[in-house]
Amino acid sequence: MIPYGRQDVTDEDVRAVCVALKSDWLTQGPTVPRFEEAVAGVCGARHAVAVNSATSALHIACLALGLGHGDWLWTTPITFVASANCGLYCGAQVDFVDIDTRTYNMCPRALEVKLIEAEKTGRLPKLLVVVHLCGQSCEMTAIRALSQKYSFKVIEDASHSIGGKLENEYIGNCRYSDITVFSFHPVKIITSAEGGMALTQCDELAYKMALFRGHGITRDSQHMTQASDGPWYYQQIELGYNYRMTDLQAALGLSQLERLDQYVNRRRELAKLYDESLKNLPVTLPWQHPDVVSVYHLYVIRLNEKLENRHRHFFENLRGRGIGVNLHYIPVYRHPHYEKMGLYSPSDYPEAERYYRQAVTLPLYPALSEVQVAEVSKKVRIAIQEFA
Ligand SMILES: *Cc1c(COP(=O)(O)O)cnc(C)c1O
């Protein structure tokens, strides 16, 4: 089976991890800050806080921004559940904004309409989590303008999009947001096995996120409530978590980061090949916003409306032919945990619903060959012809 995504681990990666393994540090040690500085440097952020997953990064980002009981977090329904769950972890309630027809990212027009409604009912969000789906940035200028008008904070869930650009600047510089989060899960652009990172330009947010990562414990007398009892002394000043990244993970991530541009270029090259070889089929290919450079974490095609009722058949057909197609994502409000809250109606999200009836993720990862792209394309063509 050709999977939809797969990590690429080189001999240099293995050597880098072995060096860390034989060092004095297995848990968070000197390699973690090196990885943090390297990612912050590439992206143009002042601070980066490495953690054990993007899920943890989203959680500490919400905590640092003060999300809590009685607050609302809004996000897109077409995302991995973690983008929404972070709100629930903090005791907040979650709501969703429908997607744009072309980018499948959160639609700024739909956001504005929902904000106008929410203002009337006193239910404005405290925090918005936008997701750069497939590696393509959201329309951040419009979203930032709304965040200023309606006074909510913004987290970019950039789990798909390290190395991507908006208006010629790297995602992660937080020009239009408070915090940006990356994932280093093996299917993402670069990996540290499990791992994530939260970037910000704000000293205070960086300090708080580092605190929440490590049990809420400080060893800095400046932040303590009283003078030190002695050289052993530390204080727990918040309820934090053990979300630390290990030095082994940081060593892998740092080594992978060296090949970020190479990976992005390769993914863009392969996407172009797909664009070419699928162009005359009754499917919609990924549309690219002119201000954006996507890293193509995912290559999503959509069956045209008249083929919609063959969506499942199409999946089964391709899986049967050894093509590991997937669907990113099931609208979050459709999951039983969200459904049972009784807050959401699929009819409020017509674009997300339409997307869910049509979307198919084709295999795309750096080690995929041109021959394999041709093979996948051919099988897509055959599958479509079979139900014509
Ligand atoms: C993968 C992913 C996450 C979670 O990442 P982990 O590092 O596995 O916790 C969050 N949001 C999105 C959009 C993702 O794709």
Side-chain angles (χ1 to χ4, degrees), residues 53-55 79-80 82-83 131 157 159-160 183 185 188 195 329:
S53 71
T55 303
T79 185
F80 184 57
S83 317
V131 178
D157 180 347
S159 293
H160 296 184
S183 172
H185 180 281
K188 307 293 164 72
Y329 291 91

Side-chain angles (χ1 to χ4, degrees), residues 116-170:
I116 291 169
E117 269 316 297
E119 192 172 37
K120 290 182 198 153
T121 55
R123 278 185 166 195
L124 283 171
K126 173 155 188 169
L127 177 56
L128 188 75
V129 177
V130 296
V131 178
H132 304 318
L133 195 74
C134 304
Q136 162 157 248
S137 173
C138 294
E139 293 169 60
M140 293 309 296
T141 327
I143 286 166
R144 192 43 154 183
L146 290 169
S147 90
Q148 279 160 349
K149 180 164 179 196
Y150 291 93
S151 307
F152 56 83
K153 306 288 183 186
V154 179
I155 296 174
E156 295 173 70
D157 180 347
S159 293
H160 296 184
S161 51
I162 190 170
K165 288 181 181 172
L166 172 62
E167 293 155 2
N168 283 317
E169 290 183 11
Y170 277 109

Side-chain angles (χ1 to χ4, degrees), residues 38 50 69 74 116 128 157 217 220 292 303 308 328 339 373:
H69 266 280
W74 289 7
I116 291 169
L128 188 75
D157 180 347
I217 285 174
D220 181 346
V292 161
L303 299 181
E308 230 175 62
H328 299 90
E339 222 168 29
V373 169

Side-chain angles (χ1 to χ4, degrees), residues 58 73-76 79-87 129 131 157 338:
L58 287 164
L73 175 151
W74 289 7
T75 187
T76 167
T79 185
F80 184 57
V81 290
S83 317
N85 288 345
C86 55
V129 177
V131 178
D157 180 347
Y338 282 86

Side-chain angles (χ1 to χ4, degrees), residues 255-382:
S255 177
Q256 291 249 320
L257 187 66
E258 301 263 322
R259 297 192 301 281
L260 178 62
D261 287 345
Q262 192 182 312
Y263 285 153
V264 170
N265 292 338
R266 178 64 181 159
R267 283 176 175 277
R268 289 179 57 78
E269 220 170 74
L270 292 170
K272 217 166 164 185
L273 277 181
Y274 271 133
D275 287 346
E276 242 343 273
S277 55
L278 299 171
K279 69 181 172 196
N280 294 320
L281 294 176
V283 297
T284 304
L285 303 179
W287 182 79
Q288 298 300 293
H289 194 288
D291 296 344
V292 161
V293 176
S294 174
V295 298
Y296 285 98
H297 164 56
L298 302 171
Y299 191 90
V300 173
I301 62 170
R302 282 174 67 163
L303 299 181
N304 286 0
E305 205 139 291
K306 59 182 193 302
L307 299 178
E308 230 175 62
N309 57 347
R310 313 308 300 270
H311 192 225
R312 186 193 179 128
H313 176 99
F314 186 75
F315 264 81
E316 287 167 348
N317 185 306
L318 283 167
R319 290 253 180 114
R321 294 172 193 277
I323 309 301
V325 285
N326 219 315
L327 207 173
H328 299 90
Y329 291 91
I330 304 160
V332 177
Y333 53 75
R334 279 180 165 264
H335 287 288
H337 185 77
Y338 282 86
E339 222 168 29
K340 74 186 179 203
M341 295 173 193
L343 288 169
Y344 317 108
S345 162
S347 61
D348 290 339
Y349 310 102
E351 291 304 330
E353 288 292 304
R354 220 159 59 84
Y355 173 89
Y356 184 52
R357 290 195 298 270
Q358 301 173 347
V360 183
T361 306
L362 301 183
L364 179 55
Y365 48 90
L368 194 73
S369 68
E370 283 84 348
V371 173
Q372 285 174 313
V373 169
E375 180 191 339
V376 173
S377 304
K378 185 172 151 204
K379 288 178 176 172
V380 166
R381 192 175 300 273
I382 293 170

